[in-house]
Amino acid sequence: MAQHLDRRRLLTMSLASVGAGILTGMTIRPGAASAADEFDQDLPPVPGMSGDRQANEMWYQFDDITLYHRIPEVEQAFVEMHAVFGDGFVKLIYDTWLELSASPGYSAEFAEFVAPIRAPLQALSRVQLGVFDAFYHPQSPRLIDAFSFFGQGLLFDPRRAEFELEVHMMEGDPTLSYHLWHGFLRAMMVLDIDRARWARIDPLIGLAWALQSIAEPEAREINPPLPRETVGRLRRIWLPRTSRQTDEAFRAWPYPAEHDSVRA
């Protein structure tokens, strides 16, 4: 529909630089650091939507092309990974990361394990980063906000009613989805696939996990935000973390190590 990002254009454009794509007919200027911050005024209203309009749209598009209506590039990537690792390959990648990451020097061994799926991982990286870049400059603090809103369950989008998950959030209580994403992200990083970009995004994924663990948002309701002090404290914990530190943090289950102290 005209009011949405054309997901087929996201496939055919250069996804690594999809910030130069098209959103509701507006051309995004390549290299314009402030372009993403101009999107809000061009996004049409969605009746019943609650929460940040731009973040809602980013997560809507992200889920649409990677999950609910996978574009061919994503579908092919999953087919290729299944051909290598078989059924349950998503959990297998995570379980292998979890086992190997107990050793500080695990990167080489993990890289050897995931090397056969380098091409599909490259495709997934292009698509996922492409969606982020279509809405936010990579260094924009508003991208951090988008993950924060996601984790707290503050993005209510009635366009997702058919999936009975109007709130943009990870499913499951507790959810393993953040851990699975981290496992794939680390697979990309050890193969040097957009390593620097994912190293910056990994703490945001952890931040969202921590926030969702405390907020416990409802999937079909408009949720209240966490106290500013709680959000601020978790940001100070997660955002400075190195890749090794995020590895250690994601080895915790089902909640981050700081869960009880921050919640209190």
Side-chain angles (χ1 to χ4, degrees):
M1 291 184 291
Q3 71 180 37
H4 302 156
L5 262 175
D6 183 341
R7 52 183 176 267
R8 298 300 177 240
R9 291 294 295 275
L10 278 176
L11 172 64
T12 57
M13 289 185 308
S14 172
L15 287 166
S17 59
V18 76
I22 293 179
L23 177 66
T24 62
M26 182 188 75
T27 300
I28 306 167
R29 300 189 307 278
S34 62
D37 293 333
E38 299 171 357
F39 286 1
D40 287 332
Q41 61 188 4
D42 296 285
L43 288 169
V46 175
M49 178 179 284
S50 178
D52 184 271
R53 180 67 182 87
Q54 186 167 322
N56 257 304
E57 192 67 30
M58 186 195 79
W59 289 114
Y60 177 82
Q61 296 299 336
F62 188 93
D63 284 348
D64 196 48
I65 69 173
T66 65
L67 179 60
Y68 296 124
H69 303 101
R70 289 175 182 162
I71 58 174
E73 186 169 1
V74 173
E75 192 64 40
Q76 181 62 29
F78 275 77
V79 168
E80 292 176 9
M81 289 187 289
H82 181 274
V84 174
F85 292 133
D87 293 342
F89 67 88
V90 173
K91 184 68 160 46
L92 174 63
I93 291 171
Y94 164 71
D95 287 342
T96 304
W97 166 82
L98 184 62
E99 177 183 355
L100 296 179
S101 64
S103 171
Y106 80 96
S107 295
E109 191 173 357
F110 191 43
E112 182 179 358
F113 174 75
V114 295
I117 59 169
R118 171 186 289 274
L121 287 175
Q122 287 175 320
L124 289 181
S125 181
R126 285 194 301 271
V127 172
Q128 292 181 6
L129 292 177
V131 177
F132 295 151
D133 291 348
F135 291 91
Y136 300 100
H137 185 268
Q139 303 293 341
S140 173
R142 296 186 66 190
L143 180 61
I144 302 174
D145 292 338
F147 276 84
S148 176
F149 299 150
F150 181 89
Q152 294 176 76
L154 302 182
L155 304 173
F156 184 90
D157 193 338
R159 294 174 295 181
R160 291 161 51 100
E162 64 178 299
F163 307 114
E164 299 184 347
L165 187 68
E166 285 89 340
V167 174
H168 294 290
M169 57 181 281
M170 292 296 193
E171 293 186 82
D173 183 23
T175 178
L176 184 64
S177 297
Y178 292 108
H179 291 69
L180 298 176
W181 196 359
H182 174 77
F184 268 75
L185 178 155
R186 292 299 281 141
M188 295 172 185
M189 291 178 64
V190 297
L191 294 177
D192 204 24
I193 299 171
D194 299 309
R195 180 193 296 268
R197 291 295 307 279
W198 288 116
R200 290 196 297 270
I201 292 172
D202 200 14
L204 307 188
I205 296 172
L207 171 64
W209 169 43
L211 289 167
Q212 184 166 333
S213 298
I214 293 174
E216 299 181 339
E218 296 293 334
R220 308 203 69 185
E221 300 178 8
I222 295 177
N223 295 290
L226 287 171
R228 291 172 59 92
E229 296 78 9
T230 300
V231 176
R233 185 174 177 186
L234 287 171
R235 286 168 69 116
R236 290 190 294 273
I237 290 172
W238 277 94
L239 297 185
R241 280 180 166 159
T242 64
S243 294
R244 187 60 195 169
Q245 289 170 333
T246 55
D247 266 346
E248 289 296 328
F250 270 108
R251 290 183 57 79
W253 171 260
Y255 304 120
E258 69 274 3
H259 178 268
D260 291 339
S261 61
V262 173
R263 191 174 189 178

